[in-house]
Amino acid sequence: MAKMDTKTNTGEISVEEKLRALYNLQKVMTEIDKIRTLRGELPLEVQDLEDEVEGLETRIHNLNAEIKNLNNAIQEKKNGIKEADLLIKKYESQQSSVRNNREFESLNKEIEYQNLEKELCKKRISEFEIEMKAKQEAVANSQAFLEERKSDLESKKKELDNIVSDTKEDEEKLKKKAKEIEKDIDDRLLTAFKRIRKNARNGLAVVTVERDACGGCFNKIPPQRQLDIQSRKKVIVCEYCGRILVDSEL
Ligand SMILES: [Zn+2]
């Protein structure tokens, strides 16, 4: 059914007034939709930033623990060098009181082994130091990124708080306004409005004719039909999408 029969009797609200009320109601509902969209996205953005901050903090914490482990490992290797030095000294002093060449050579072997141990310790230390430097750089980078994210989060949170407190008031006002407008629309039309709005993806139940086409689905409207819409004597809906059509002058 493309046309709803709405005869104007004396004392009743004219179709034109009904159309105007519907169009006004649509505008108010679109405003409410905008507020909800605005609010609907911000908490998600805040949540994303909170997750990111938490992730960075964990990363920095883990890197610092790894740096601490490397520091301990370096200290261990340094102690290893000290121990080797002590052993070398001990073996060298023992060499001065050996009884034969075989004992001297045997101590020489021990000294050689301890020198190899020292070299190995030094090699490990330089490896650990390179690893540690890379981790320290990663900490510095993550720290800088974290500070950035934290300030982003703070401003987004503030924005959200403001929007929530601001829009609560605005939304209430708009809802009140919608209720007022609804009084000028009969139940049958109002139910149709709500049903169309619910099914329309962008929440538009009432659209204007734009460039000879429906403002909701953009299908062409024949000239005679456009004249009918302009006459404002009947409620006319789009044949394609079912939205209520009004002329852009309304
Ligand atoms: Zn349409």
Side-chain angles (χ1 to χ4, degrees):
M1 187 180 73
K3 291 174 190 177
M4 290 178 199
D5 193 25
T6 40
K7 287 193 184 89
T8 311
N9 300 322
T10 40
E12 244 184 35
I13 297 161
S14 73
V15 174
E16 184 173 336
E17 277 173 284
K18 281 181 190 173
L19 285 170
R20 191 164 283 126
L22 278 171
Y23 191 41
N24 285 336
L25 181 61
Q26 179 61 63
K27 282 194 240 173
V28 170
M29 295 317 286
T30 299
E31 283 303 307
I32 294 175
D33 288 346
K34 270 189 204 161
I35 287 173
R36 289 183 180 164
T37 306
L38 199 65
R39 208 186 288 160
E41 282 163 10
L42 256 177
L44 227 90
E45 283 176 43
V46 167
Q47 184 61 54
D48 281 352
L49 279 168
E50 276 173 346
D51 290 348
E52 211 176 332
V53 163
E54 204 188 304
L56 281 166
E57 280 171 343
T58 305
R59 179 171 154 74
I60 290 167
H61 176 84
N62 290 343
L63 280 167
N64 278 329
E66 285 165 27
I67 287 168
K68 204 182 160 198
N69 285 343
L70 282 167
N71 245 327
N72 289 339
I74 288 169
Q75 199 51 52
E76 222 172 85
K77 292 295 165 197
K78 279 183 179 168
N79 289 340
I81 292 171
K82 273 185 200 160
E83 274 168 37
D85 277 335
L86 283 174
L87 283 172
I88 289 167
K89 258 192 191 139
K90 192 181 104 185
Y91 297 143
E92 278 172 350
S93 77
Q94 281 174 357
Q95 274 180 331
S96 59
S97 57
V98 290
R99 282 165 299 179
N100 54 50
N101 220 32
R102 205 176 55 83
E103 277 184 28
F104 188 86
E105 276 309 311
S106 159
L107 283 166
N108 245 2
K109 280 231 159 60
E110 290 296 333
I111 290 166
E112 223 172 274
Y113 177 76
Q114 289 307 321
N115 274 323
L116 277 175
E117 274 293 307
K118 274 175 69 180
E119 285 311 307
L120 205 64
C121 283
K122 280 178 193 166
K123 192 170 166 264
R124 299 298 285 147
I125 287 171
S126 71
E127 282 168 4
F128 289 157
E129 276 172 347
I130 288 166
E131 217 179 306
M132 200 162 79
K133 207 177 163 200
K135 287 194 193 296
Q136 280 165 340
E137 268 167 28
V139 167
N141 286 339
S142 297
Q143 197 73 50
F145 201 52
L146 175 65
E147 294 310 318
E148 216 176 273
R149 281 333 207 190
K150 269 184 170 171
S151 88
D152 283 353
L153 175 61
E154 211 174 297
S155 64
K156 281 276 176 212
K157 257 185 177 168
K158 231 178 244 167
E159 203 184 324
L160 178 62
D161 287 347
N162 286 340
I163 285 173
V164 165
S165 60
D166 282 2
T167 54
K168 231 175 222 165
E169 212 176 299
D170 287 348
E171 198 185 358
E172 287 312 310
K173 270 187 207 160
L174 286 166
K175 276 183 182 166
K176 226 180 205 175
K177 207 167 157 190
K179 280 267 173 290
E180 282 301 310
I181 298 169
E182 280 175 11
K183 282 181 193 165
D184 294 336
I185 305 166
D186 57 80
D187 289 347
R188 194 168 66 107
L189 213 47
L190 193 60
T191 307
F193 171 86
K194 286 179 179 168
R195 193 193 63 237
I196 299 165
R197 213 175 101 76
K198 208 175 140 190
N199 294 331
R201 213 186 311 165
N202 52 9
L204 294 177
V206 182
V207 291
T208 53
V209 178
E210 301 287 346
R211 282 189 221 96
D212 304 326
C214 164
C217 68
F218 310 111
N219 277 299
K220 285 270 172 242
I221 300 162
Q224 182 52 52
R225 216 166 161 71
Q226 285 189 52
L227 286 174
D228 288 345
I229 294 161
Q230 278 162 21
S231 75
R232 301 172 190 167
K233 294 276 185 284
K234 292 171 210 145
V235 176
I236 297 173
V237 301
C238 174
E239 285 182 306
Y240 302 97
C241 68
R243 291 183 176 95
I244 297 162
L245 289 160
V246 295
D247 60 283
S248 53
E249 303 294 311
L250 190 79

Short mmCIF file of all heavy atoms in Angstrom, two decimals, residues 207 214-219 238-243 245, ligand 1:
data_model
loop_
_atom_site.label_atom_id
_atom_site.label_comp_id
_atom_site.label_asym_id
_atom_site.label_seq_id
_atom_site.Cartn_x
_atom_site.Cartn_y
_atom_site.Cartn_z
N VAL A 207 11.71 11.15 4.82
CA VAL A 207 12.78 11.74 4.01
C VAL A 207 12.19 12.73 3.01
O VAL A 207 11.02 12.65 2.64
CB VAL A 207 13.59 10.65 3.24
CG1 VAL A 207 14.41 9.81 4.21
CG2 VAL A 207 12.68 9.77 2.40
N CYS A 214 13.96 9.64 -4.00
CA CYS A 214 13.72 9.44 -2.57
C CYS A 214 15.01 9.71 -1.80
O CYS A 214 16.07 9.19 -2.16
CB CYS A 214 13.26 7.99 -2.34
SG CYS A 214 13.36 7.45 -0.63
N GLY A 215 14.93 10.53 -0.77
CA GLY A 215 16.11 10.88 0.02
C GLY A 215 16.62 9.74 0.88
O GLY A 215 17.66 9.85 1.51
N GLY A 216 15.87 8.63 0.90
CA GLY A 216 16.29 7.50 1.71
C GLY A 216 16.97 6.42 0.88
O GLY A 216 18.02 5.92 1.25
N CYS A 217 16.36 6.07 -0.25
CA CYS A 217 16.91 4.96 -1.06
C CYS A 217 17.39 5.45 -2.43
O CYS A 217 17.95 4.67 -3.19
CB CYS A 217 15.87 3.86 -1.23
SG CYS A 217 14.46 4.36 -2.25
N PHE A 218 17.15 6.72 -2.73
CA PHE A 218 17.64 7.37 -3.96
C PHE A 218 17.02 6.82 -5.24
O PHE A 218 17.55 7.01 -6.33
CB PHE A 218 19.18 7.34 -4.04
CG PHE A 218 19.82 7.85 -2.78
CD1 PHE A 218 20.50 6.99 -1.93
CD2 PHE A 218 19.69 9.19 -2.43
CE1 PHE A 218 21.07 7.45 -0.75
CE2 PHE A 218 20.25 9.67 -1.25
CZ PHE A 218 20.94 8.80 -0.42
N ASN A 219 15.87 6.13 -5.13
CA ASN A 219 15.17 5.71 -6.34
C ASN A 219 14.35 6.90 -6.88
O ASN A 219 13.83 7.70 -6.13
CB ASN A 219 14.24 4.53 -6.03
CG ASN A 219 14.97 3.21 -6.06
OD1 ASN A 219 15.52 2.81 -7.08
ND2 ASN A 219 15.00 2.54 -4.92
N CYS A 238 7.49 5.91 -0.04
CA CYS A 238 8.32 5.48 -1.18
C CYS A 238 7.94 4.05 -1.56
O CYS A 238 7.82 3.18 -0.70
CB CYS A 238 9.79 5.57 -0.81
SG CYS A 238 10.89 4.90 -2.06
N GLU A 239 7.75 3.81 -2.87
CA GLU A 239 7.37 2.48 -3.35
C GLU A 239 8.47 1.45 -3.12
O GLU A 239 8.21 0.26 -3.07
CB GLU A 239 7.09 2.54 -4.86
CG GLU A 239 5.78 3.19 -5.19
CD GLU A 239 5.54 3.17 -6.69
OE1 GLU A 239 6.43 3.63 -7.43
OE2 GLU A 239 4.48 2.69 -7.12
N TYR A 240 9.69 1.95 -3.04
CA TYR A 240 10.85 1.03 -2.94
C TYR A 240 11.24 0.73 -1.50
O TYR A 240 11.48 -0.42 -1.14
CB TYR A 240 12.04 1.63 -3.70
CG TYR A 240 11.72 1.89 -5.14
CD1 TYR A 240 11.33 3.17 -5.56
CD2 TYR A 240 11.79 0.86 -6.08
CE1 TYR A 240 11.01 3.42 -6.89
CE2 TYR A 240 11.47 1.10 -7.41
CZ TYR A 240 11.08 2.38 -7.81
OH TYR A 240 10.77 2.60 -9.12
N CYS A 241 11.36 1.80 -0.66
CA CYS A 241 11.91 1.57 0.68
C CYS A 241 10.84 1.75 1.78
O CYS A 241 11.10 1.45 2.94
CB CYS A 241 13.11 2.48 0.94
SG CYS A 241 12.68 4.24 1.04
N GLY A 242 9.69 2.27 1.41
CA GLY A 242 8.60 2.40 2.38
C GLY A 242 8.70 3.61 3.30
O GLY A 242 7.88 3.78 4.20
N ARG A 243 9.69 4.46 3.07
CA ARG A 243 9.81 5.66 3.91
C ARG A 243 8.75 6.70 3.52
O ARG A 243 8.31 6.77 2.37
CB ARG A 243 11.20 6.28 3.77
CG ARG A 243 12.32 5.44 4.37
CD ARG A 243 13.65 6.18 4.22
NE ARG A 243 14.73 5.48 4.86
CZ ARG A 243 15.56 4.64 4.23
NH1 ARG A 243 15.39 4.37 2.95
NH2 ARG A 243 16.55 4.07 4.88
N LEU A 245 7.50 10.16 2.45
CA LEU A 245 8.11 11.19 1.64
C LEU A 245 7.48 12.55 1.91
O LEU A 245 6.25 12.67 1.98
CB LEU A 245 7.98 10.85 0.15
CG LEU A 245 8.84 9.67 -0.34
CD1 LEU A 245 8.28 9.11 -1.63
CD2 LEU A 245 10.30 10.08 -0.49
ZN ZN B 1 12.85 5.19 -0.91
#
